[in-house]
């Protein structure tokens, strides 16, 4: 049986100390790197249970362990094209907030330099990170 | 209050697997949730790193807004997770974006920052990027 340590502070001999709540609350609770151009191919993930391709560039990402509310901190924003120079401006971010729950979020990748309206687009390097308290 | 003084935390069963309680009952891997590298770049100067973690050998590429840096400790796969942000153009008010550039690598990362409306490449004063994943 693995051991368990309950502590409020971790102290390194030279690098200083940190209250363990910073370790817990400052750690990402979910991660995903997926190839949107290859539909639902997840390259790297933590706490991710599903990725659904809804339409061009539009995905629903589900979490294995839910947050305690839908008000978690979600970082997306960057997506790129692998193996080639970036010739278009691209973004990857949350799509419809009504679809945001403690256990899933809807995202979209799109081109930003195609006029006033965004152009949904399949990008092959979509990354996102979640912070917050799990249920 | 309890305090642990230690230089290294290592999993007993698996070296890089320490479980942390992060919710009322939920647990997760400490190692996977920690940021493994981050960088703050001032793109308007030649030596652009302002602050960084696990980053070395920074290169300001010839194209505006294009930077490459190496990791002190490499990742164990190319598809690690990253994300970034960049300040808007203060003089014009244009939005900017930052995206990965070119093929991913375990040992280095290249980013391109540009105007969101035209994709024109620019050197911004404040570019941040953070990386998550497993190190080699």
């Amino acid at each position: 049986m693995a051991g368990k340590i309950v502590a409020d502070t971790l102290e390194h001999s030279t690098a200083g100390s940190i209250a363990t709540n910073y370790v817990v609350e400052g750690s990402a609770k979910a991660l995903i790197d997926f190839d949107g151009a290859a539909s639902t191919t997840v390259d790297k993930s933590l706490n991710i249970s599903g990725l659904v391709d809804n339409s061009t560039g539009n995905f629903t990402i589900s979490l294995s362990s839910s947050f305690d509310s839908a008000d978690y901190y979600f970082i997306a924003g960057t997506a790129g094209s692998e193996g080639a120079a970036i010739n278009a401006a691209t973004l990857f971010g949350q799509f419809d907030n009504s679809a945001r729950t403690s256990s899933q979020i809807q995202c979209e990748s799109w081109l930003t330099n195609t006029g006033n309206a965004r152009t949904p687009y399949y990008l092959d390097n979509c990354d996102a990170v979640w912070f917050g308290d799990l249920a | 209050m309890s305090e642990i003084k230690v230089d290294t935390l290592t999993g007993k069963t698996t070296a890089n697997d320490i479980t942390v309680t992060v919710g009322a009952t939920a647990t997760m891997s400490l190692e996977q949730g920690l940021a493994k590298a981050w960088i703050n770049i001032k793109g308007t100067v030649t030596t652009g790193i302002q602050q960084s973690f696990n980053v070395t050998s920074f290169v300001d590429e010839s194209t505006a807004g294009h930077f490459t840096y190496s990791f002190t400790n490499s990742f164990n796969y190319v598809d690690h997770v990253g994300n970034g942000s960049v300040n808007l153009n203060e003089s014009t008010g244009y939005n900017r974006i930052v995206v990965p550039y070119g093929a991913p690598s375990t040992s280095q990362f290249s980013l391109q920052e540009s105007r969101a409306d035209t994709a024109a490449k620019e050197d911004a004063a404040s570019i941040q990027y953070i990386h998550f994943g497993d190190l080699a």
Side-chain angles (χ1 to χ4, degrees):
Chain A
M1 175 181 172
K4 179 179 181 180
I5 297 173
V6 179
D8 296 328
T9 306
L10 291 173
E11 181 176 322
H12 188 274
S13 61
T14 59
S17 63
I18 185 170
T20 51
N21 67 301
Y22 285 93
V23 176
V24 173
E25 295 173 29
S27 297
K29 302 304 188 303
L31 309 167
I32 190 167
D33 175 294
F34 69 94
D35 185 346
S39 189
T40 55
T41 300
V42 177
D43 295 315
K44 170 63 181 175
S45 69
L46 168 67
N47 192 26
I48 300 296
S49 62
L51 175 67
V52 175
D53 184 354
N54 301 314
S55 59
T56 301
N58 191 293
F59 300 89
T60 297
I61 305 170
S62 299
L63 303 168
S64 300
S65 295
S66 300
F67 284 89
D68 62 356
S69 76
D71 298 323
Y72 44 81
Y73 187 91
F74 175 76
I75 311 171
T78 58
S81 181
E82 297 172 0
I86 303 299
N87 294 314
T90 60
L91 273 175
F92 171 62
Q94 182 184 351
F95 182 62
D96 183 356
N97 195 56
S98 66
R100 177 173 173 148
T101 71
S102 62
S103 61
Q104 70 176 32
I105 192 165
Q106 190 176 10
C107 299
E108 189 164 279
S109 56
W110 68 92
L111 305 180
T112 67
N113 61 324
T114 54
N116 292 329
R118 75 186 192 289
T119 302
Y121 195 81
Y122 283 120
L123 293 167
D124 54 11
N125 194 350
C126 299
D127 289 3
V129 180
W130 288 253
F131 290 87
D133 297 325
L134 297 181
Chain B
M1 175 180 169
S2 56
E3 180 177 17
I4 298 173
K5 295 187 177 183
V6 63
D7 290 343
T8 305
L9 292 173
T10 303
K12 180 180 178 183
T13 305
T14 304
N16 64 347
D17 189 6
I18 296 175
T19 300
V20 183
T21 302
V22 292
T25 57
T27 62
M28 61 169 282
S29 163
L30 171 64
E31 183 269 341
Q32 291 199 48
L34 297 177
K36 302 305 188 303
W38 52 259
I39 190 169
N40 179 311
I41 301 168
K42 188 171 186 177
T44 51
V45 298
T46 302
T47 305
I49 294 182
Q50 303 303 295
Q51 288 195 23
S52 67
F53 168 60
N54 192 27
V55 169
T56 183
S57 66
F58 174 84
V59 176
D60 185 351
E61 307 283 3
S62 57
T63 304
H66 183 195
F67 304 96
T68 299
Y69 50 89
S70 298
F71 301 114
T72 306
N73 292 303
S74 299
F75 286 83
N76 72 351
Y77 46 81
V78 296
D79 293 308
H80 56 273
V81 179
N83 236 299
S85 66
V86 58
N87 70 299
L88 57 75
N89 186 317
E90 298 92 335
S91 62
T92 64
Y94 292 126
N95 290 322
R96 291 171 168 144
I97 57 173
V98 57
V99 298
Y101 183 100
S105 162
T106 59
S107 60
Q108 70 176 34
F109 185 77
S110 195
L111 63 84
Q112 177 68 60
E113 166 262 316
S114 61
R115 271 178 55 168
D117 59 336
T118 64
K121 295 158 179 61
E122 296 183 339
D123 281 326
S126 179
I127 305 165
Q128 292 79 221
Y129 220 96
I130 191 166
H131 303 264
F132 292 84
D134 301 327
L135 297 183

